[in-house]
Amino acid sequence: MYHNKTIGKNKISSEFACRLNNLAPQQKVSVIVFLRLENLDKPISLRHSRAERKAAVEGIRNSARQALDYIRKILQEFGGIQLAESPDALGTIPVEISAAGVEALAASDAVKAVVEEQEIIPANGTNRFYI
């Protein structure tokens, strides 16, 4: 699950890939990594009990933790660090890694997508949020 032979062209946007090409290979960037989740093939119904929702979230987190185990080697190899202790309920984790490391993450079968962390500025310009 470490490397896929084809670079994940659909795993990073063309705009982000262009920005990465303009960076030095060792320059660090902050990204959100969407981990590939396994064993989530149960059909989604409209109504879930509290226990079912809790079990679903825990299933996502467990699957994301397994995928995270696969990408830790990439993080170590490219000087990356996790910016959160564990994946969230959506199976994502923020990471700081070199531009070359982003390409390695995108090539991994354990990764569904990599997006750059971007600032969100409200129209009134007062409060700033980051995703």
Side-chain angles (χ1 to χ4, degrees):
M1 237 180 170
Y2 176 57
H3 278 297
N4 187 347
K5 295 296 181 197
T6 60
I7 298 295
K9 292 182 181 180
N10 294 330
K11 293 184 182 182
I12 50 179
S13 71
S14 58
E15 295 86 2
F16 184 33
C18 182
R19 283 189 285 281
L20 286 173
N21 286 335
N22 292 324
L23 299 176
Q26 296 307 316
Q27 190 171 351
K28 301 279 184 164
V29 293
S30 292
V31 297
I32 307 293
V33 179
F34 287 77
L35 300 167
R36 184 160 310 280
L37 305 176
E38 305 287 333
N39 302 325
L40 296 176
D41 52 1
K42 288 176 92 177
I44 298 172
S45 66
L46 296 177
R47 296 264 186 193
H48 289 290
S49 69
R50 183 177 297 229
E52 289 171 325
R53 287 190 305 270
K54 186 175 181 180
V57 168
E58 192 57 36
I60 289 170
R61 285 191 174 137
N62 286 336
S63 181
R65 280 188 205 108
Q66 290 174 358
L68 183 59
D69 289 341
Y70 287 105
I71 69 163
R72 281 200 174 108
K73 184 175 181 182
I74 298 171
L75 294 176
Q76 183 178 20
E77 184 178 327
F78 290 92
I81 56 169
Q82 293 175 212
L83 299 177
E85 194 170 313
S86 61
D88 64 14
L90 299 174
T92 69
I93 189 154
V95 168
E96 184 177 283
I97 194 164
S98 66
V102 172
E103 292 179 15
L105 286 170
S108 173
D109 289 335
V111 173
K112 187 173 183 179
V114 181
V115 297
E116 60 186 320
E117 190 172 29
Q118 297 179 357
E119 181 179 19
I120 298 174
I121 302 172
N124 64 9
T126 56
N127 297 324
R128 294 179 182 244
F129 300 94
Y130 292 87
I131 61 168

